[in-house]
Amino acid sequence: MAAARTPPGTAGVGGDKGVKGSSRGRGSGRFGGSVRAVGRALHLPVTGTVRGIRRATNAHGAGESGLGRLIELHAVNGAGDVMITVALASTVFFSVPTDEARGRVALYLAITMAPFTVLAPVIGPLLDRLPHGRRAAMAAAMLARALLALIIAGAAASGSLELYPAALGVLVASKAYGVVRSAVVPRLLPPRFSLVKANSRVTLGGLLATGVAAPVGAGLQVLGPRWPLYGAFVIFIAGTFLSFALPPKVDSAKGEHRALLTADEQHLRGARRTRLKRPGLRTVGTAVTHALAANAALRCLSGFLIFFLAFLLREHPLTGESAAVSLGIVGVAAGAGNALGTAVGAWLRSRAPEIIIVTVVAIVLGAAVTAAVFFGAFLVACLAAVAGFGQALAKLSLDALIQRDVPEPVRTSAFARSETLLQMAWVLGGAIGIVLPLNGVLGLSVGAGLVAAGWLPTVRGLLASARHGGAPRPRVA
């Protein structure tokens, strides 16, 4: 009992030291805890945002299938493209008087868009022949745009003509990415996930990223004309690495064939399989070709409005606003309409795609005619919103028709080639918009005519296809 006792002096000293050490530990712990709390508070907005984005992109099996990573990659693509667009708009469009700007944009179209229309039909078939390297192709498209952004940065500062071939390279690389992305989506569908829903998610991710990156690019432009291009370089370098994060199965072309976007009735009705001399299959059917023509009209209107309204609003801005603000209002209206059309398309889930296409093209045609007859600032903004809504919803309906009517072995190729034709329609509309006089009534009348040219020849065929519930799936050669 006595041996177990501790001497009083020892207990006092040891106890005092223990208390003092514990106090210092608590103080140090409180300080470290405060630092960690501040660190968490500063870190939370970033990590919380990233986790929220990841949860949204990976929902409903998209994370397991790899679709979530494609959504993130497409968002990076949209952010990088808008950075380059901001820089080019400032260099080619806003930095000079209107007449000189028209000449510069015309030169830009002649040097970049004209060769692009020649190259665009070639890109799809070339990528069809390299189906096993889709991740590498997307990474190459990202890396090429990163390097071209640096070239444009140097050309923009010196006023060199290198700007135009570099811009052409950006367009070609962007087009190549778009073609491969269209071919990749069917490979990454989660279980019980429609192609329309997948495409709407990918598109919406790109739109949201564009909306976030546009004001960032404008802020970088204030620092200097090169800064948005430096931002694009960083974004596309990140996209290069993200491309290889996609699942390896996107490189597999097992069971795929090439499709030719025509409706050959003799081939479709053939009782037995026929070997075609040319590569490609005439198997998409009349409903798909009619839907593609209607979508081409809307894409042509989109290109037309971008170039025509850019010059019209610079010369005659909206009431009480500057030219830059006027263009911003119309651009926001178009983007909001596009996002709404994408959301509605995902909600409809491929219901009666022919009726949807006929209806939205008719609505866009009515909006264009109304804006032409009662020309005014409000109606111009409304037309931009309606055109964006119609373009997004009609494209998703076209995707639904391709999924329904095109045989699976050629479906991937059909998506890639349809996107090529739509890009060509956009270029054609832009060329028309740049050559027209700056007369609002005349210009919007021409825009209405472009939509009518795509709607009138296709409405009958689309309605007939809707009545019959879609054509039976043809055989694959």
Side-chain angles (χ1 to χ4, degrees), residues 96-258:
V96 294
T98 302
D99 292 337
E100 186 178 345
R102 294 195 77 177
R104 283 197 179 191
V105 174
L107 180 63
Y108 177 84
L109 286 174
I111 296 179
T112 60
M113 294 296 191
F116 178 73
T117 57
V118 177
L119 292 173
V122 180
I123 296 173
L126 283 178
L127 293 172
D128 270 348
R129 296 178 185 276
L130 298 172
H132 297 287
R134 287 171 180 156
R135 289 187 299 173
M138 297 175 90
M142 293 284 182
L143 181 60
R145 280 180 286 175
L147 299 177
L148 289 168
L150 294 181
I151 295 175
I152 295 174
S158 62
S160 173
L161 289 177
E162 293 175 359
L163 170 70
Y164 298 102
L168 171 61
V170 170
L171 285 173
V172 172
S174 181
K175 170 61 191 165
Y177 164 83
V179 170
V180 179
R181 193 263 301 172
S182 297
V184 163
V185 173
R187 286 283 178 186
L188 299 178
L189 289 181
R192 299 181 301 277
F193 220 79
S194 71
L195 196 57
V196 172
K197 187 175 181 180
N199 276 324
S200 66
R201 277 202 182 187
V202 174
T203 303
L204 191 58
L207 287 172
L208 292 175
T210 299
V212 172
V216 174
L220 291 175
Q221 183 66 33
V222 175
L223 300 177
R226 294 185 177 188
W227 285 97
L229 295 163
Y230 293 152
F233 171 79
V234 174
I235 290 172
F236 283 130
I237 289 295
T240 302
F241 291 100
L242 283 176
S243 299
F244 290 107
L246 294 174
K249 63 184 176 182
V250 304
D251 287 334
S252 172
K254 184 178 180 180
E256 293 182 5
H257 299 280
R258 287 187 288 274

Side-chain angles (χ1 to χ4, degrees), residues 158-428:
S158 62
S160 173
L161 289 177
E162 293 175 359
L163 170 70
Y164 298 102
L168 171 61
V170 170
L171 285 173
V172 172
S174 181
K175 170 61 191 165
Y177 164 83
V179 170
V180 179
R181 193 263 301 172
S182 297
V184 163
V185 173
R187 286 283 178 186
L188 299 178
L189 289 181
R192 299 181 301 277
F193 220 79
S194 71
L195 196 57
V196 172
K197 187 175 181 180
N199 276 324
S200 66
R201 277 202 182 187
V202 174
T203 303
L204 191 58
L207 287 172
L208 292 175
T210 299
V212 172
V216 174
L220 291 175
Q221 183 66 33
V222 175
L223 300 177
R226 294 185 177 188
W227 285 97
L229 295 163
Y230 293 152
F233 171 79
V234 174
I235 290 172
F236 283 130
I237 289 295
T240 302
F241 291 100
L242 283 176
S243 299
F244 290 107
L246 294 174
K249 63 184 176 182
V250 304
D251 287 334
S252 172
K254 184 178 180 180
E256 293 182 5
H257 299 280
R258 287 187 288 274
L260 192 64
L261 293 178
T262 57
D264 187 330
E265 294 293 337
Q266 182 178 0
H267 179 78
L268 292 177
R269 295 174 183 175
R272 56 192 183 131
R273 298 183 179 184
T274 306
R275 183 83 176 175
L276 294 178
K277 294 181 180 179
R278 295 177 58 194
L281 303 172
R282 299 178 176 88
T283 52
V284 297
T286 55
V288 174
T289 54
H290 286 144
L292 182 58
N295 271 269
L298 293 180
R299 194 67 67 92
C300 187
L301 175 68
S302 173
F304 171 81
L305 289 178
I306 287 175
F307 286 93
F308 180 74
L309 291 180
F311 288 107
L312 180 67
L313 294 178
R314 180 173 178 176
E315 193 73 16
H316 308 288
L318 301 179
T319 305
E321 303 293 347
S322 65
V325 173
S326 300
L327 287 173
I329 291 173
V330 173
V332 169
N338 205 315
L340 180 61
T342 301
V344 171
W347 174 69
L348 289 175
R349 297 183 180 180
S350 310
R351 297 170 185 168
E354 298 97 336
I355 301 298
I356 293 174
I357 293 174
V358 170
T359 302
V360 298
V361 178
I363 292 173
V364 174
L365 177 59
V369 171
T370 303
V373 175
F374 306 100
F375 180 75
F378 175 75
L379 290 178
V380 168
C382 287
L383 174 60
V386 172
F389 174 84
Q391 178 182 313
L393 189 52
K395 178 60 170 66
L396 292 174
S397 298
L398 172 64
D399 293 345
L401 282 173
I402 292 176
Q403 185 179 28
R404 188 193 72 187
D405 291 352
V406 176
E408 186 174 357
V410 295
R411 192 177 297 153
T412 297
S413 181
F415 275 111
R417 299 196 178 200
S418 66
E419 185 61 31
T420 298
L421 292 178
L422 293 179
Q423 289 284 353
M424 293 174 63
W426 186 90
V427 172
L428 175 62

